Amino acid sequence: MNTAMVIPSAYDIFSIRHAQAFEEACLRVFAFQARHCAVYRAYLSLIKRDPETIRRVEDIPFLPIELFKHHKIMSVDQEPQIVFSSSGTTGSVQSKHYVADVSIYERSFRQAFAQHYGNPKDLTILALLPAYSEREGSSLIYMVDALIRESDHPLSGYFLYNHNELHDVLHELKAKGTKTLLIGVTYALLDFTETHAIDFPELTVMETGGMKGRRHEMIREEVHERLRAGFNVPLIHSEYGMTELLSQAYSTGQGLFRCPPWMKVVIKDTNDPFYTLPSGQTGAINVIDLANVYSCSFIATKDLGKVQPGDRFEVLGRFDNSDIRGCNLLLL
């Protein structure tokens, strides 16, 4: 695909290193998507925002994430190379992300992962992701598949409900002093530690969030305390990503996430989606993900959080606000 149709060929979102370059890229991508993404264009019209009047990143409206459940959100007129879908619950409508160029996703997750964890070849990567592994269309599984292949370690791989095998592999890796990353959905990691606690302080444990209706919801501090005790590790890492995004933020402890340079979190007032809250105040997480260049890069999620000093953010939970301004009209 010719990226010149979005931004000048000399510009590369994955080479962004400073705020000015990020802002310039945001405005270029916004101008393109406001013109070429039919759903985003309709949303801007409904909320009476003229793209021609937007000159600052702070003024760019965010598309309600709910619209990914009901519309094909693309900024290019072509068949998608892949369609990612959310897990959802029985009877619910799945979000779908139509990805025009999957190589952008691959570059995004590889570069962001390397910034935090180095080369996958230097790691044994274990995955405890049963809810995701048992269905098709998961962007998380697509990413983990690629990382496991690149790790090229004979013990790297998936573990569904075979906790005894995972326990044995962890013991073997600990005995060999092998640098190991265990990626798991939250409820599965908790299930594992309740019956197979292990003393492996050197292990990196990354939870991807979600109870999926398997357990009662717990606050992050309680979850991480149980996992720290179950693996005897000093910190629990986390990944923040979703079907509707092609980039991930990572936390290496204390629930404080950092975005890659082409991604940013903005906190909006839950009662006024156009008002940006200052650092330290809790509100709705809105995400700028420039890797979404061929869908929509400006997404209003249903997560609650707050921005902290040092370009970090916290995820504090979710809010139920199905009547996000402008959203319902687009669903008709």
Side-chain angles (χ1 to χ4, degrees):
M1 178 179 294
N2 181 9
T3 57
M5 63 195 299
V6 176
I7 49 181
S9 58
Y11 197 92
D12 180 359
I13 63 171
F14 298 112
S15 66
I16 290 173
R17 294 292 180 269
H18 53 80
Q20 182 178 348
F22 180 81
E23 292 177 5
E24 290 173 355
C26 283
L27 291 172
R28 295 183 189 196
V29 170
F30 167 74
F32 171 78
Q33 293 178 344
R35 180 177 181 181
H36 294 285
C37 179
V39 176
Y40 192 35
R41 184 172 66 247
Y43 178 69
L44 293 173
S45 177
L46 284 169
I47 62 174
K48 303 185 186 309
R49 293 298 175 96
D50 181 0
E52 297 297 325
T53 66
I54 292 176
R55 298 286 184 269
R56 306 183 311 156
V57 174
E58 292 83 354
D59 298 328
I60 294 176
F62 289 79
L63 186 73
I65 198 168
E66 193 76 7
L67 296 178
F68 279 83
K69 292 184 176 182
H70 304 277
H71 296 275
K72 185 177 182 178
I73 298 175
M74 295 187 73
S75 294
V76 288
D77 184 17
Q78 68 175 62
E79 287 299 310
Q81 291 184 353
I82 193 168
V83 179
F84 292 130
S85 59
S86 64
S87 55
T89 56
T90 303
S92 67
V93 179
Q94 290 179 302
S95 288
K96 292 186 181 296
H97 192 172
Y98 297 86
V99 180
D101 186 350
V102 74
S103 70
I104 294 177
Y105 179 48
E106 292 171 353
R107 183 166 180 183
S108 178
F109 71 66
R110 286 189 173 100
Q111 196 161 318
F113 183 88
Q115 288 175 0
H116 287 85
Y117 300 101
N119 193 328
K121 289 185 179 297
D122 300 325
L123 293 167
T124 297
I125 300 177
L126 311 178
L128 187 60
L129 301 165
Y132 297 89
S133 302
E134 295 171 302
R135 69 175 183 86
E136 295 183 356
S138 167
S139 58
L140 176 62
I141 293 298
Y142 189 100
M143 177 182 75
V144 174
D145 277 347
L147 296 175
I148 286 175
R149 287 195 304 269
E150 291 171 24
S151 80
D152 200 30
H153 192 284
L155 291 179
S156 290
Y158 287 92
F159 299 84
L160 291 175
Y161 304 98
N162 46 338
H163 290 180
N164 289 336
E165 182 182 352
L166 174 58
H167 191 258
D168 292 342
V169 167
L170 287 171
H171 269 293
E172 181 177 345
L173 292 168
K174 178 188 174 183
K176 293 179 178 178
T178 304
K179 190 174 181 181
T180 304
L181 169 65
L182 172 61
I183 303 174
V185 65
T186 305
Y187 81 83
L189 291 172
L190 288 169
D191 288 349
F192 176 81
T193 58
E194 288 176 358
T195 56
H196 293 78
I198 187 171
D199 177 17
F200 195 168
E202 299 79 18
L203 176 67
T204 299
V205 179
M206 181 195 298
E207 55 98 1
T208 65
M211 294 300 184
K212 303 295 182 186
R214 306 295 183 97
R215 305 174 66 107
H216 73 278
E217 294 292 335
M218 295 184 287
I219 61 173
R220 175 187 58 81
E221 289 81 2
E222 182 182 359
V223 169
H224 284 203
E225 179 56 36
R226 291 191 184 188
L227 294 178
R228 282 197 301 269
F231 292 101
N232 191 26
V233 293
L235 295 168
I236 299 297
H237 295 221
S238 303
E239 181 255 6
Y240 182 77
M242 57 190 69
T243 298
E244 300 84 358
L245 302 177
L246 294 184
S247 298
Q248 301 80 31
Y250 291 101
S251 166
T252 55
Q254 282 86 44
L256 296 174
F257 292 87
R258 289 186 184 275
C259 294
W262 57 89
M263 177 184 180
K264 183 178 181 179
V265 161
V266 178
I267 304 299
K268 298 288 187 176
D269 191 314
T270 55
N271 296 313
D272 181 356
F274 307 117
Y275 179 71
T276 301
L277 295 174
S279 177
Q281 291 194 19
T282 299
I285 292 178
N286 286 224
V287 180
I288 300 174
D289 181 9
L290 295 181
N292 273 21
V293 66
Y294 294 129
S295 54
C296 183
S297 292
F298 311 95
I299 307 297
T301 78
K302 297 178 77 172
D303 292 332
L304 286 171
K306 57 184 175 181
V307 173
Q308 298 288 15
D311 291 326
R312 300 177 298 177
F313 70 96
E314 290 183 73
V315 181
L316 303 175
R318 292 178 63 79
F319 68 93
D320 183 14
N321 184 7
S322 59
D323 293 322
I324 296 173
R325 191 175 307 173
C327 181
N328 283 351
L329 291 175
L330 278 176
L331 297 181
L332 298 177

